[in-house]
Amino acid sequence: MKRRILFATCLTMMSLTIMSCDSDDDGPNCPEPLTGELNTTETEFTGKWSLTNIEADDEVDLTDDSVDNPSTNIFEQYSACQRDNVYEFKNDRAYSFKQGSTETDCTNTQTLSGTWMLNNNILTFVALCTSQSINIDLNDDNNEFVIESNYTFVNVDNETINTKVVFTYQKMDDPQ
């Protein structure tokens, strides 16, 4: 069950677009890495961002604890390893996404890297021969952003729940 939740979280955070192939079927036609100087918004956006909350519109029970306790707070229902999600956006357009890398004894750690661009609240990633663009809401202080997505959960009773989910990331203090 936890692997499905972890996998679903990764898919939500990094839902990949369909790969295109050449008509000659010579293999995938991968997008070029993103390049160029950062704009002012992107420069302010660089740094590490940690997942701090996952909130659903509808209550879901993901905890297999023999207690009926659905909640809209998905973040609290995840293990420390599942909540351990960090993006790092660098000033050379490189980025990484790591899950389970700062908590101890995590299995199924994930790392993804590629290039990024932020333009008009559209955050674009190029990685693993795919390109993905997501709409983010960045707060006025440039220290928190949210991603909204419609999502399907399968709760502990094996019921499917379709709901809107909001993922919140906060900028981590950079030790100088």
Side-chain angles (χ1 to χ4, degrees), residues 97-113:
F97 172 79
K98 295 180 181 180
Q99 182 172 32
S101 65
T102 60
E103 291 290 328
T104 56
D105 299 325
C106 293
T107 59
N108 287 333
T109 60
Q110 304 288 322
T111 300
L112 178 67
S113 61

Side-chain angles (χ1 to χ4, degrees), residues 24-152:
D24 296 335
D25 201 23
D26 291 334
N29 184 14
C30 298
E32 294 292 322
L34 299 168
T35 59
E37 288 188 36
L38 301 182
N39 63 38
T40 303
T41 303
E42 290 172 318
T43 300
E44 293 173 4
F45 193 74
T46 59
K48 290 184 179 183
W49 296 79
S50 178
L51 180 66
T52 58
N53 196 29
I54 306 171
E55 193 74 28
D57 276 358
D58 299 303
E59 290 185 335
V60 180
D61 187 357
L62 301 173
T63 57
D64 195 8
D65 58 4
S66 301
V67 177
D68 187 22
N69 53 355
S71 171
T72 59
N73 190 331
I74 304 302
F75 190 78
E76 285 183 353
Q77 296 183 63
Y78 280 0
S79 71
C81 291
Q82 292 169 313
R83 292 188 302 249
D84 182 15
N85 291 288
V86 176
Y87 280 104
E88 182 175 9
F89 299 98
K90 297 183 179 179
N91 61 8
D92 64 355
R93 290 216 180 274
Y95 87 93
S96 65
F97 172 79
K98 295 180 181 180
Q99 182 172 32
S101 65
T102 60
E103 291 290 328
T104 56
D105 299 325
C106 293
T107 59
N108 287 333
T109 60
Q110 304 288 322
T111 300
L112 178 67
S113 61
T115 57
W116 70 283
M117 178 183 293
L118 178 61
N119 190 7
N120 295 323
N121 287 343
I122 303 295
L123 183 57
T124 301
F125 300 99
V126 173
L128 299 175
C129 200
T130 62
S131 178
Q132 177 212 3
S133 295
I134 56 175
N135 188 26
I136 67 169
D137 289 319
L138 185 62
N139 70 354
D140 291 337
D141 294 330
N142 293 325
N143 62 3
E144 182 177 276
F145 73 87
V146 298
I147 301 168
E148 292 185 11
S149 180
N150 290 322
Y151 195 73
T152 302

